Amino acid sequence: MCGIVAYIGRREASPILLEGLKRMEYRGYDSAGMAVLDGDLRVGRAVGRVAALEEVLEREGGFEGTLGIAHTRWATHGGVTEANAHPHRDDGRLGHGIAVIHNGIIENHATLKRYLVEKGHVFTSETDTEVLAHLIGELYRGDLEKAVQSALREVTGAYAIAVVCEKEPDVLVAARKGSPLMIGVGKDEYIVASDSSAIVAHTTQAITLDDYTVARLDRESFRTTNVDNDPVSAEIRELEYDLGQIDLGSYEHYMLKEIHEQPEALRLCMKGRVDLRSGQIVLGGINQFARDLARAKRVIFIGQGTALHAGMVAEYLMEDLAKIPTDVEFASEFRYRNPIVEEGTVVVAISQSGETADTLAALQEAKQRGAMAIGLVNVVGSSISRETDAGVYLRVGPEIGVASTKAFLGQVCVATMLAAFTGRRRFLAAEAVRDLMERMSEVPGHIERILEQSDAIRDATARYVERDNWLFLGRGYNYPVALEGALKLKEISYIHAEGMPAAEMKHGPIALIDEGMPVVFLATRNSQYDKVLSNIEEVRSRGGHVIAVATEGDEEIRDRVHEVFWVPDVPEPLQPLLTVVPLQLLAYHAALMRGRDVDKPRNLAKSVTVE
Ligand code: M6R
């Protein structure tokens, strides 16, 4: 949600800021802005992508200066207008020349604004961030760091901010609570950013700020304090990220690149964790808690969006393989419904970014109620990973496309290992674990075969892409995949799609089916195959056109459906790792055919760091 980047050093700030914004554009892309200090504070803002901001800067003859802040926005408070774009300034009457960029939400902005208006402040935007800028200005007494600390003491909500002040041309102040913020540490320079993608081109040394930390940076040094000005320690660590991982290479879109990276991503995810000879699963991050996990009375998976769908697969896995009663919940609902967390409850948060606000808050709530907290997270050092008692990183590499693809596979793969690991410590035979892991190690090769069908999937998609309503149906392990297929299609092509258990169709949604309506069935050979075939007949007899994802060699299904995408035969618990892949490709091709911006679909942002 919103990307922020700031620079203080000896180089020109604006090219570094622009490059950082481009790398973080996936975090939000409604509007963008930049402020650079060179004697005066120069501010440029534009509605639209970073490219629009670039044009504004060019028109203004470029911004020179070695201290600056920049922002790419995903609107929360106030529409998508230039006036609402960041940076926001304090009240000009005061003459401080303060500018702020912000990611998060200032929840008490209305109260603060009333107070400031009474003091004569005049606001020019509808944003909560402008309130913060004015508050800092109001409290400024010649020391920016102190003014920021004082302002943050008054603020409730979430923030990652960077602040500059005309009167202090050698100081950059940054602070964080509830929204991610890192400081890249270079030689005589610092780059502050919402994520490492804006930093790695310049340095691999970085500090991940903790909540409630305020950092004051000049060109040679920095210090970190809390909002009461007490010193706070900050650890510099090496970023595990290289630029190659976040470049598009020869692909047209990140989504396509990431779909194609899935075989390798899964290999990396399993590497060193699965010993095929002994059939042992080694999950270093949770070893210490293996006994607690095996004795758990209940496991609850929480997440949002695609991560929730992975959690639904995990629910089946945990009950099947470890025989522990398991639930899965939207983190957003779990948090607010006064959940019962009894002794022996383990809460597992699933998240690619590790920054999803609802998932983080639900995890904190569960911990407070006494649950053991485990994280299945991709981004190393992210908020969720730091909040958990134990965890397993996905290790699928950075995911930039807004539509999650390889992270889903990583989440399901880790959940499979986690369930088998736990099951082994309960009733699951060593043989069963070895067999399952052996079959899972073949999955990357299977995915490579599925990817070869991309053109066939594109051609089939073309026959239905004009249809505005689609259904996705599956049973058992394939039910979450139906939800995921529908989510992929709607989020990047804007085609309305619904996913549901195939049996549920008869309880209402069947009324939607008319001549030619595309209905995607997950119809692989498994325990529910015959039931799915019956559901296919029900759809066909009402005129629906069936697109099936089926098991290679299944001649029986070929004549019963209009289109079929093939996946190799694997045991039922592993089927989601394969059946989702044709649906990712279907969504990708549909979005392209409809002329959509695949990597930056409208209204979305990669990680949702506001509740
Ligand atoms: O970073 P997270 O995995 O916590 O994100 C959760 C969802 O916001 C995310 O999966 C979202 O649904 C994707 N855009 C779906 O493709």
Side-chain angles (χ1 to χ4, degrees):
M1 208 98 310
C2 302
I4 74 178
V5 56
Y7 176 82
I8 183 163
R10 307 203 180 280
R11 295 189 279 161
E12 279 303 317
S14 71
I16 295 169
L17 297 177
L18 272 175
E19 187 211 335
L21 285 186
K22 283 180 193 160
R23 293 211 181 273
M24 284 192 306
E25 205 173 13
Y26 69 94
R27 298 184 70 94
Y29 33 83
D30 294 342
S31 53
M34 182 187 291
V36 174
L37 233 171
D38 182 22
D40 294 338
L41 187 70
R42 298 192 65 192
V43 179
R45 303 187 292 187
V47 168
R49 302 288 162 87
V50 175
L53 173 65
E54 248 177 321
E55 282 168 23
V56 168
L57 299 185
E58 258 168 46
R59 266 205 309 277
E60 301 209 356
F63 287 2
E64 282 180 11
T66 55
L67 169 60
I69 57 180
H71 186 272
T72 173
R73 179 171 187 244
W74 184 86
T76 53
H77 285 70
V80 181
T81 62
E82 194 186 315
N84 288 336
H86 299 212
H88 287 285
R89 283 183 266 195
D90 69 330
D91 195 313
R93 289 173 314 134
L94 302 172
H96 305 320
I98 288 172
V100 177
I101 48 171
H102 167 223
N103 176 21
I105 290 185
I106 307 299
E107 282 165 5
N108 59 341
H109 66 97
T111 316
L112 295 172
K113 190 168 182 177
R114 267 197 303 279
Y115 159 79
L116 290 161
V117 167
E118 271 168 27
K119 291 206 154 258
H121 285 247
V122 177
F123 288 85
T124 56
S125 80
E126 306 155 293
T127 65
D128 52 334
T129 306
E130 192 188 6
V131 175
L132 180 59
H134 280 235
L135 185 62
I136 295 170
E138 179 63 31
L139 299 171
Y140 185 73
R141 305 279 181 275
D143 183 333
L144 185 62
E145 182 191 30
K146 284 212 167 70
V148 170
Q149 288 167 335
S150 308
L152 294 181
R153 286 200 294 270
E154 305 303 324
V155 154
T156 57
Y159 53 78
I161 57 170
V163 191
V164 292
C165 173
E166 244 171 37
K167 294 211 170 132
E168 297 180 53
D170 300 314
V171 175
L172 171 66
V173 177
R176 163 201 171 137
K177 186 205 149 199
S179 288
L181 198 62
M182 308 181 83
I183 302 174
V185 181
K187 184 165 166 13
D188 293 343
E189 64 178 12
Y190 298 96
I191 299 146
V192 176
S194 323
D195 72 53
S196 43
S197 62
I199 294 175
V200 280
H202 308 286
T203 174
T204 54
Q205 301 288 299
I207 299 162
T208 303
L209 286 187
D210 284 325
D211 277 349
Y212 302 103
T213 304
V214 178
R216 179 197 184 278
L217 311 136
D218 56 38
R219 288 178 176 78
E220 288 90 26
S221 65
F222 73 94
R223 70 165 170 251
T224 44
T225 57
N226 61 19
V227 293
D228 296 319
N229 203 31
D230 304 318
V232 161
S233 64
E235 189 196 335
I236 300 181
R237 67 180 174 92
E238 182 77 20
L239 292 174
E240 291 171 20
Y241 218 92
D242 73 67
L243 270 182
Q245 287 180 300
I246 52 175
D247 280 341
L248 255 183
S250 57
Y251 289 96
E252 216 180 314
H253 299 101
Y254 280 107
M255 183 185 180
L256 189 65
K257 177 179 184 243
E258 287 155 9
I259 289 173
H260 281 267
E261 281 172 351
Q262 291 182 121
E264 197 47 30
L266 278 194
R267 287 186 187 107
L268 285 174
C269 182
M270 285 183 269
K271 195 172 166 194
R273 290 171 168 169
V274 173
D275 181 344
L276 291 180
R277 265 181 317 163
S278 66
Q280 268 211 332
I281 298 171
V282 183
L283 299 175
I286 58 162
N287 249 347
Q288 223 188 318
F289 295 87
R291 256 168 65 125
D292 300 299
L293 186 57
R295 288 177 179 181
K297 294 207 176 72
R298 185 166 165 237
V299 175
I300 306 171
F301 287 95
I302 53 171
Q304 298 288 146
T306 291
L308 181 88
H309 299 154
M312 293 171 81
V313 179
E315 179 189 22
Y316 285 87
L317 288 162
M318 204 43 116
E319 295 205 332
D320 248 10
L321 304 177
K323 306 276 180 256
I324 300 177
T326 304
D327 296 303
V328 56
E329 290 208 44
F330 286 104
S332 55
E333 295 300 314
F334 176 83
R335 183 186 175 199
Y336 287 110
R337 66 164 181 74
N338 201 7
I340 296 168
V341 175
E342 290 157 327
E343 211 193 323
T345 301
V346 175
V347 169
V348 185
I350 305 186
S351 175
Q352 189 287 128
S353 61
E355 301 295 348
T356 297
D358 280 315
T359 311
L360 178 61
L363 186 77
Q364 287 162 337
E365 180 69 37
K367 271 180 73 176
Q368 228 169 43
R369 288 173 185 246
M372 179 180 137
I374 292 184
L376 310 186
V377 171
N378 197 33
V379 177
V380 176
S382 55
S383 302
I384 292 175
S385 72
R386 294 194 299 159
E387 194 67 42
T388 49
D389 299 311
V392 186
Y393 281 118
L394 308 183
R395 296 204 311 226
V396 296
E399 189 179 70
I400 310 283
V402 166
S404 188
T405 53
K406 64 177 178 173
F408 177 78
L409 259 73
Q411 288 156 355
V412 173
C413 179
V414 168
T416 311
M417 292 188 280
L418 186 71
F421 173 91
T422 311
R424 181 68 198 106
R425 277 154 189 78
R426 289 166 62 87
F427 320 102
L428 198 61
E431 276 296 293
V433 174
R434 183 166 42 239
D435 287 353
L436 189 70
M437 290 302 109
E438 230 168 61
R439 298 298 297 273
M440 193 157 85
S441 69
E442 291 162 10
V443 163
H446 295 331
I447 296 175
E448 276 157 7
R449 287 229 306 275
I450 298 171
L451 294 175
E452 286 167 13
Q453 292 173 65
S454 183
D455 289 352
I457 293 172
R458 181 198 58 213
D459 295 347
T461 305
R463 292 192 269 279
Y464 305 95
V465 72
E466 298 306 331
R467 303 292 305 211
D468 286 329
N469 291 293
W470 293 51
L471 273 185
F472 286 72
L473 303 174
R475 283 169 176 262
Y477 279 99
N478 276 329
Y479 156 48
V481 177
L483 297 183
E484 178 60 8
L487 173 60
K488 287 290 89 88
L489 188 64
K490 53 191 156 189
E491 77 175 318
I492 58 168
S493 72
Y494 322 152
I495 293 171
H496 174 246
E498 280 191 56
M500 67 191 72
E504 181 63 13
M505 173 190 67
K506 290 199 285 286
H507 298 275
I510 198 165
L512 293 169
I513 294 170
D514 59 4
E515 195 56 41
M517 180 182 187
V519 182
V520 179
F521 271 94
L522 284 311
T524 41
R525 288 274 181 185
N526 57 31
S527 57
Q528 312 213 29
Y529 176 73
D530 291 336
K531 300 270 183 295
V532 172
L533 284 189
S534 307
N535 299 141
I536 288 176
E537 290 309 322
E538 289 152 11
V539 166
R540 288 211 57 174
S541 53
R542 286 161 181 83
H545 277 207
V546 175
I547 301 163
V549 176
T551 305
E552 276 174 1
D554 181 359
E555 290 308 319
E556 194 182 341
I557 205 160
R558 196 191 284 275
D559 301 330
R560 294 180 180 232
V561 300
H562 296 81
E563 317 284 344
V564 57
F565 309 143
W566 300 110
V567 297
D569 191 20
V570 290
E572 206 160 330
L574 302 180
Q575 289 186 358
L577 291 168
L578 299 183
T579 51
V580 74
V581 178
L583 306 190
Q584 296 168 341
L585 287 167
L586 183 153
Y588 174 77
H589 290 306
L592 274 192
M593 286 172 210
R594 286 212 170 196
R596 308 304 188 207
D597 188 340
V598 173
D599 285 333
K600 297 189 187 74
R602 72 180 175 203
N603 304 336
L604 279 166
K606 181 64 181 162
S607 70
V608 183
T609 55
V610 290
E611 286 177 51

